mmCIF file of all heavy atoms in Angstrom:
data_model
loop_
_atom_site.group_PDB
_atom_site.id
_atom_site.type_symbol
_atom_site.label_atom_id
_atom_site.label_comp_id
_atom_site.label_asym_id
_atom_site.label_seq_id
_atom_site.Cartn_x
_atom_site.Cartn_y
_atom_site.Cartn_z
ATOM 1 N N MET B 1 22.550 37.922 17.467
ATOM 2 C CA MET B 1 21.851 38.674 18.511
ATOM 3 C C MET B 1 20.343 38.741 18.130
ATOM 4 O O MET B 1 19.958 39.019 16.947
ATOM 5 C CB MET B 1 22.369 40.128 18.559
ATOM 6 C CG MET B 1 23.434 40.326 19.610
ATOM 7 S SD MET B 1 23.019 39.629 21.247
ATOM 8 C CE MET B 1 24.255 40.357 22.219
ATOM 9 N N ARG B 2 19.585 38.457 19.022
ATOM 10 C CA ARG B 2 18.116 38.595 18.765
ATOM 11 C C ARG B 2 17.540 39.896 19.015
ATOM 12 O O ARG B 2 18.006 40.629 19.954
ATOM 13 C CB ARG B 2 17.386 37.509 19.682
ATOM 14 C CG ARG B 2 17.653 36.124 19.395
ATOM 15 C CD ARG B 2 16.531 35.247 19.804
ATOM 16 N NE ARG B 2 16.719 33.875 19.093
ATOM 17 C CZ ARG B 2 17.246 32.855 19.836
ATOM 18 N NH1 ARG B 2 17.493 32.888 21.122
ATOM 19 N NH2 ARG B 2 17.420 31.663 19.201
ATOM 20 N N ALA B 3 16.501 40.229 18.223
ATOM 21 C CA ALA B 3 15.924 41.550 18.436
ATOM 22 C C ALA B 3 15.232 41.526 19.745
ATOM 23 O O ALA B 3 14.749 40.484 20.301
ATOM 24 C CB ALA B 3 14.836 41.770 17.329
ATOM 25 N N ASP B 4 15.088 42.751 20.465
ATOM 26 C CA ASP B 4 14.366 42.874 21.674
ATOM 27 C C ASP B 4 12.910 42.392 21.574
ATOM 28 O O ASP B 4 12.284 41.920 22.495
ATOM 29 C CB ASP B 4 14.397 44.265 22.163
ATOM 30 C CG ASP B 4 15.800 44.664 22.683
ATOM 31 O OD1 ASP B 4 16.549 43.702 22.893
ATOM 32 O OD2 ASP B 4 15.971 45.860 22.892
ATOM 33 N N SER B 5 12.384 42.410 20.318
ATOM 34 C CA SER B 5 10.967 42.157 20.175
ATOM 35 C C SER B 5 10.575 40.673 20.595
ATOM 36 O O SER B 5 9.522 40.438 21.002
ATOM 37 C CB SER B 5 10.512 42.328 18.841
ATOM 38 O OG SER B 5 11.319 41.513 17.867
ATOM 39 N N VAL B 6 11.638 39.802 20.542
ATOM 40 C CA VAL B 6 11.291 38.428 20.952
ATOM 41 C C VAL B 6 11.074 38.253 22.385
ATOM 42 O O VAL B 6 10.602 37.183 22.857
ATOM 43 C CB VAL B 6 12.389 37.430 20.471
ATOM 44 C CG1 VAL B 6 12.681 37.470 18.971
ATOM 45 C CG2 VAL B 6 13.671 37.560 21.204
ATOM 46 N N TRP B 7 11.400 39.260 23.201
ATOM 47 C CA TRP B 7 11.220 39.207 24.662
ATOM 48 C C TRP B 7 9.968 39.987 25.028
ATOM 49 O O TRP B 7 9.658 40.106 26.151
ATOM 50 C CB TRP B 7 12.388 39.766 25.290
ATOM 51 C CG TRP B 7 13.706 38.997 24.970
ATOM 52 C CD1 TRP B 7 14.744 39.452 24.197
ATOM 53 C CD2 TRP B 7 14.031 37.710 25.526
ATOM 54 N NE1 TRP B 7 15.603 38.481 24.129
ATOM 55 C CE2 TRP B 7 15.296 37.456 24.944
ATOM 56 C CE3 TRP B 7 13.410 36.773 26.307
ATOM 57 C CZ2 TRP B 7 15.909 36.193 25.169
ATOM 58 C CZ3 TRP B 7 14.098 35.647 26.686
ATOM 59 C CH2 TRP B 7 15.297 35.364 26.040
ATOM 60 N N ALA B 8 9.247 40.569 24.059
ATOM 61 C CA ALA B 8 8.090 41.351 24.344
ATOM 62 C C ALA B 8 6.936 40.512 24.828
ATOM 63 O O ALA B 8 6.719 39.393 24.255
ATOM 64 C CB ALA B 8 7.684 42.191 23.114
ATOM 65 N N PRO B 9 6.119 41.030 25.783
ATOM 66 C CA PRO B 9 4.937 40.202 26.127
ATOM 67 C C PRO B 9 3.933 40.209 24.941
ATOM 68 O O PRO B 9 3.850 41.126 24.187
ATOM 69 C CB PRO B 9 4.319 41.060 27.339
ATOM 70 C CG PRO B 9 5.131 42.294 27.393
ATOM 71 C CD PRO B 9 6.335 42.253 26.534
ATOM 72 N N HIS B 10 3.176 39.183 24.927
ATOM 73 C CA HIS B 10 2.109 39.001 23.894
ATOM 74 C C HIS B 10 0.728 38.888 24.571
ATOM 75 O O HIS B 10 0.659 38.365 25.582
ATOM 76 C CB HIS B 10 2.302 37.794 23.037
ATOM 77 C CG HIS B 10 3.439 37.961 21.986
ATOM 78 N ND1 HIS B 10 4.809 38.256 22.346
ATOM 79 C CD2 HIS B 10 3.399 37.879 20.643
ATOM 80 C CE1 HIS B 10 5.502 38.281 21.246
ATOM 81 N NE2 HIS B 10 4.726 38.133 20.228
ATOM 82 N N GLY B 11 -0.235 39.384 23.805
ATOM 83 C CA GLY B 11 -1.616 39.246 24.278
ATOM 84 C C GLY B 11 -2.142 40.363 25.194
ATOM 85 O O GLY B 11 -1.439 41.456 25.242
ATOM 86 N N HIS B 12 -3.096 40.090 25.899
ATOM 87 C CA HIS B 12 -3.619 41.071 26.883
ATOM 88 C C HIS B 12 -2.521 41.308 27.959
ATOM 89 O O HIS B 12 -1.725 40.489 28.309
ATOM 90 C CB HIS B 12 -4.861 40.440 27.590
ATOM 91 C CG HIS B 12 -5.591 41.435 28.549
ATOM 92 N ND1 HIS B 12 -6.434 42.407 28.083
ATOM 93 C CD2 HIS B 12 -5.457 41.582 29.823
ATOM 94 C CE1 HIS B 12 -6.792 43.049 29.092
ATOM 95 N NE2 HIS B 12 -6.287 42.659 30.183
ATOM 96 N N ARG B 13 -2.494 42.553 28.435
ATOM 97 C CA ARG B 13 -1.465 42.911 29.449
ATOM 98 C C ARG B 13 -2.176 42.978 30.835
ATOM 99 O O ARG B 13 -3.112 43.758 31.079
ATOM 100 C CB ARG B 13 -0.756 44.223 29.162
ATOM 101 C CG ARG B 13 -0.040 44.231 27.856
ATOM 102 C CD ARG B 13 1.099 43.250 27.784
ATOM 103 N NE ARG B 13 1.947 43.304 29.005
ATOM 104 C CZ ARG B 13 2.857 44.196 29.160
ATOM 105 N NH1 ARG B 13 3.217 45.046 28.161
ATOM 106 N NH2 ARG B 13 3.618 44.251 30.191
ATOM 107 N N TYR B 14 -1.566 42.223 31.752
ATOM 108 C CA TYR B 14 -2.004 42.335 33.160
ATOM 109 C C TYR B 14 -1.003 42.939 33.986
ATOM 110 O O TYR B 14 0.214 42.820 33.812
ATOM 111 C CB TYR B 14 -2.302 40.850 33.661
ATOM 112 C CG TYR B 14 -3.452 40.227 33.019
ATOM 113 C CD1 TYR B 14 -3.255 39.292 31.999
ATOM 114 C CD2 TYR B 14 -4.771 40.439 33.407
ATOM 115 C CE1 TYR B 14 -4.239 38.590 31.397
ATOM 116 C CE2 TYR B 14 -5.780 39.815 32.752
ATOM 117 C CZ TYR B 14 -5.522 38.888 31.715
ATOM 118 O OH TYR B 14 -6.589 38.178 31.129
ATOM 119 N N ALA B 15 -1.387 43.732 35.014
ATOM 120 C CA ALA B 15 -0.465 44.250 36.018
ATOM 121 C C ALA B 15 -0.066 43.151 36.900
ATOM 122 O O ALA B 15 -0.945 42.337 37.342
ATOM 123 C CB ALA B 15 -1.084 45.448 36.740
ATOM 124 N N PRO B 16 1.182 43.032 37.360
ATOM 125 C CA PRO B 16 1.601 41.996 38.303
ATOM 126 C C PRO B 16 0.804 42.160 39.631
ATOM 127 O O PRO B 16 0.617 41.077 40.234
ATOM 128 C CB PRO B 16 3.063 42.355 38.592
ATOM 129 C CG PRO B 16 3.530 43.112 37.368
ATOM 130 C CD PRO B 16 2.376 43.875 36.879
ATOM 131 N N SER B 17 0.345 43.324 39.949
ATOM 132 C CA SER B 17 -0.361 43.480 41.216
ATOM 133 C C SER B 17 -1.779 42.941 41.133
ATOM 134 O O SER B 17 -2.419 42.692 42.154
ATOM 135 C CB SER B 17 -0.451 44.974 41.593
ATOM 136 O OG SER B 17 -1.048 45.663 40.630
ATOM 137 N N GLU B 18 -2.224 42.772 39.913
ATOM 138 C CA GLU B 18 -3.590 42.246 39.698
ATOM 139 C C GLU B 18 -3.554 40.635 39.896
ATOM 140 O O GLU B 18 -2.785 39.945 39.214
ATOM 141 C CB GLU B 18 -4.034 42.577 38.304
ATOM 142 C CG GLU B 18 -5.461 42.123 37.892
ATOM 143 C CD GLU B 18 -5.803 42.434 36.477
ATOM 144 O OE1 GLU B 18 -5.073 43.260 35.808
ATOM 145 O OE2 GLU B 18 -6.759 41.913 35.941
ATOM 146 N N ALA B 19 -4.385 40.258 40.804
ATOM 147 C CA ALA B 19 -4.485 38.711 41.033
ATOM 148 C C ALA B 19 -5.224 38.132 39.807
ATOM 149 O O ALA B 19 -6.487 38.117 39.785
ATOM 150 C CB ALA B 19 -5.076 38.430 42.329
ATOM 151 N N VAL B 20 -4.449 37.518 38.883
ATOM 152 C CA VAL B 20 -5.110 36.892 37.789
ATOM 153 C C VAL B 20 -5.691 35.519 38.234
ATOM 154 O O VAL B 20 -5.169 34.954 39.237
ATOM 155 C CB VAL B 20 -4.189 36.702 36.528
ATOM 156 C CG1 VAL B 20 -3.758 38.051 35.934
ATOM 157 C CG2 VAL B 20 -2.934 35.953 36.998
ATOM 158 N N ASP B 21 -6.571 34.976 37.474
ATOM 159 C CA ASP B 21 -7.130 33.677 37.853
ATOM 160 C C ASP B 21 -6.131 32.548 37.908
ATOM 161 O O ASP B 21 -6.080 31.761 38.760
ATOM 162 C CB ASP B 21 -8.279 33.312 36.845
ATOM 163 C CG ASP B 21 -9.449 34.226 36.957
ATOM 164 O OD1 ASP B 21 -9.783 34.641 38.107
ATOM 165 O OD2 ASP B 21 -10.027 34.600 35.896
ATOM 166 N N PHE B 22 -5.249 32.578 36.843
ATOM 167 C CA PHE B 22 -4.208 31.530 36.786
ATOM 168 C C PHE B 22 -2.876 32.171 36.280
ATOM 169 O O PHE B 22 -2.824 32.858 35.340
ATOM 170 C CB PHE B 22 -4.566 30.477 35.821
ATOM 171 C CG PHE B 22 -5.729 29.628 36.334
ATOM 172 C CD1 PHE B 22 -7.091 29.873 35.894
ATOM 173 C CD2 PHE B 22 -5.479 28.522 37.157
ATOM 174 C CE1 PHE B 22 -8.059 29.052 36.285
ATOM 175 C CE2 PHE B 22 -6.574 27.749 37.546
ATOM 176 C CZ PHE B 22 -7.886 27.987 37.146
ATOM 177 N N VAL B 23 -1.783 31.760 36.988
ATOM 178 C CA VAL B 23 -0.461 31.891 36.340
ATOM 179 C C VAL B 23 -0.067 30.403 35.936
ATOM 180 O O VAL B 23 -0.166 29.510 36.720
ATOM 181 C CB VAL B 23 0.566 32.394 37.338
ATOM 182 C CG1 VAL B 23 1.963 32.093 36.945
ATOM 183 C CG2 VAL B 23 0.471 33.919 37.390
ATOM 184 N N VAL B 24 0.367 30.412 34.678
ATOM 185 C CA VAL B 24 0.887 29.104 34.170
ATOM 186 C C VAL B 24 2.356 29.321 34.017
ATOM 187 O O VAL B 24 2.852 30.235 33.368
ATOM 188 C CB VAL B 24 0.238 28.735 32.844
ATOM 189 C CG1 VAL B 24 0.988 27.421 32.239
ATOM 190 C CG2 VAL B 24 -1.259 28.620 32.976
ATOM 191 N N VAL B 25 3.187 28.423 34.623
ATOM 192 C CA VAL B 25 4.638 28.613 34.598
ATOM 193 C C VAL B 25 5.101 27.602 33.502
ATOM 194 O O VAL B 25 5.068 26.371 33.638
ATOM 195 C CB VAL B 25 5.343 28.258 35.878
ATOM 196 C CG1 VAL B 25 6.846 28.338 35.726
ATOM 197 C CG2 VAL B 25 4.832 29.160 36.991
ATOM 198 N N GLY B 26 5.686 28.139 32.398
ATOM 199 C CA GLY B 26 6.099 27.344 31.280
ATOM 200 C C GLY B 26 5.112 27.358 30.104
ATOM 201 O O GLY B 26 3.938 26.957 30.270
ATOM 202 N N ALA B 27 5.610 27.712 28.950
ATOM 203 C CA ALA B 27 4.711 27.848 27.741
ATOM 204 C C ALA B 27 5.023 26.752 26.748
ATOM 205 O O ALA B 27 4.914 26.926 25.561
ATOM 206 C CB ALA B 27 4.908 29.155 27.101
ATOM 207 N N GLY B 28 5.315 25.511 27.260
ATOM 208 C CA GLY B 28 5.661 24.467 26.359
ATOM 209 C C GLY B 28 4.477 23.496 25.996
ATOM 210 O O GLY B 28 3.375 23.943 25.934
ATOM 211 N N ALA B 29 4.863 22.240 25.841
ATOM 212 C CA ALA B 29 3.889 21.258 25.399
ATOM 213 C C ALA B 29 2.571 21.303 26.275
ATOM 214 O O ALA B 29 1.546 21.246 25.695
ATOM 215 C CB ALA B 29 4.518 19.884 25.501
ATOM 216 N N ALA B 30 2.731 21.343 27.555
ATOM 217 C CA ALA B 30 1.623 21.286 28.408
ATOM 218 C C ALA B 30 1.093 22.696 28.723
ATOM 219 O O ALA B 30 -0.146 22.953 28.634
ATOM 220 C CB ALA B 30 1.987 20.583 29.793
ATOM 221 N N GLY B 31 1.949 23.624 29.055
ATOM 222 C CA GLY B 31 1.479 24.943 29.525
ATOM 223 C C GLY B 31 0.703 25.677 28.479
ATOM 224 O O GLY B 31 -0.338 26.326 28.736
ATOM 225 N N SER B 32 1.046 25.509 27.208
ATOM 226 C CA SER B 32 0.346 26.249 26.155
ATOM 227 C C SER B 32 -1.126 25.642 26.043
ATOM 228 O O SER B 32 -2.101 26.398 25.829
ATOM 229 C CB SER B 32 1.083 26.076 24.781
ATOM 230 O OG SER B 32 1.176 24.753 24.478
#
Side-chain angles (χ1 to χ4, degrees):
Chain B
M1 268 311 193
R2 291 206 167 103
D4 284 348
S5 59
V6 304
W7 301 104
H10 282 62
H12 185 82
R13 299 298 311 277
Y14 294 98
S17 58
E18 181 182 346
V20 294
D21 293 322
F22 290 96
V23 157
V24 176
V25 179
S32 59

